[in-house]
Amino acid sequence: MIPRSPARAQDGCGWQRLWREAFTEPRALLAWLGLERLAAALPPKPPHGFAMRVPRPFAARMRRGDPRDPLLRQVLPLRAELDEIEGYGADAVGDLAARRARGLLVKYRGRALLIATGACAVHCRYCFRRHFPYGEEHAGADRWRAALAALAADPGLRELILSGGDPLSLATARLAELAEGLRAIPHLRTLRIHTRLPVVLPARVDGELLDWLSALPWRRVVVIHANHPAELDGEVAAACRALADAGCILLNQAVLLRGVNDRIEALEGLSERLFEIGVMPYYLHQLDRVRGAAHFAVGDRRARALLAELRARLPGYLVPRLVREEPGAPAKIPL
């Protein structure tokens, strides 16, 4: 069990309550941070219908009064999201073309990805699935039976990736129900979970979840998503260590984002902090070209220069692979 902070121990709130208490109004978040003057930069309504959601534990790590805080920049809607930029579209990585069944995507050999839910605890403004038709395509509720049948019918699929949204936004009982369906698939060897919740809402990693993970029969890989070392406070560290104790291999995926982590100090600090808490740097993604996120883009020349400097400063095992995902490609493209 993860040790609770004194405040959380006193009020006894669980992760569901923290989820409900998230900031959903940009002006409320700005007022809480003492940044009311930034309200003029806000769009008149959620860009493309993509509303803001920021859990308070994540907001608590932001620097009050700092308009350039790297965590704030990841979640605050801006008018720039309304700009129409050539080459930026709704389906940036070709998800819909990879559809095998409702919510089941197969892009790469040996692996399938299940869109377990459309819900997420935080709405990152650069999200490559911000336009994904979750209402039609996710495999949540009772919709995953067809996806599991398609997975069972292909013995070449040995790894299942749970994604979303965020699969850990589902109650543990729902995850257990899904796992029971997966147990009937003999060729499944690895279960991989892509999640941001241990970072933005570490209380989600509770005893019930850890017990469920510990009892799974497959190799378990948890890929978290942190972009800046300031995201990784003591509660996140405790959550990651508990996941490791439950038998999970921990990796991190980051996205290279202008104004967030496009400085060598941020990337170096991220890799070192990840290693401190038992997580290995895995990928550093170039921005997926999704409509509404072009203001986060970092040029390839700058990205390669940052990676070269990172190699000069860190041991090789702490240097993530710089990649881009291209629709239809058989693997991530290294840069």
Side-chain angles (χ1 to χ4, degrees), residues 219-286:
R219 295 181 297 243
R220 287 141 288 161
V221 180
V222 175
V223 182
I224 67 167
H225 175 188
N227 298 312
H228 193 278
E231 299 179 43
L232 304 174
D233 67 359
E235 290 196 359
V236 176
C240 289
R241 289 172 183 139
L243 289 168
D245 289 344
C248 299
I249 297 170
L250 294 176
L251 307 173
N252 182 68
Q253 292 191 111
V255 181
L256 186 59
L257 301 167
R258 188 171 71 184
V260 174
N261 59 6
D262 57 336
R263 295 169 46 253
I264 188 59
E265 294 80 9
L267 293 175
E268 181 183 19
L270 176 61
S271 283
E272 290 181 333
R273 178 58 176 155
L274 286 166
F275 190 54
E276 286 177 358
I277 67 174
V279 182
M280 295 303 297
Y282 175 35
Y283 278 144
L284 177 61
H285 286 270
Q286 268 291 48

Side-chain angles (χ1 to χ4, degrees), residues 24 31 54 63 72 101 109 116 129 159 172 175 180 199 222 226 247 266 296 298:
T24 56
V54 185
R63 296 190 294 261
L72 175 63
R109 184 176 182 272
R129 289 202 180 112
E159 179 176 14
T172 303
L175 292 170
E180 282 304 306
V199 175
V222 175
F296 286 111
V298 177

Side-chain angles (χ1 to χ4, degrees), residues 35-46:
L35 289 169
E36 294 91 338
R37 65 187 183 279
L38 296 187
L42 297 173
K45 59 182 180 179

Side-chain angles (χ1 to χ4, degrees), residues 137-148:
E137 289 299 333
H138 79 80
D142 295 323
R143 298 178 175 181
W144 54 48
R145 290 184 176 84
L148 296 192

Side-chain angles (χ1 to χ4, degrees), residues 148 150-159 182 184-190 218:
L148 296 192
L151 183 65
D154 187 344
L157 296 174
R158 300 178 301 278
E159 179 176 14
L182 294 173
I185 302 175
H187 47 268
L188 186 63
R189 295 288 182 268
T190 303
W218 311 286

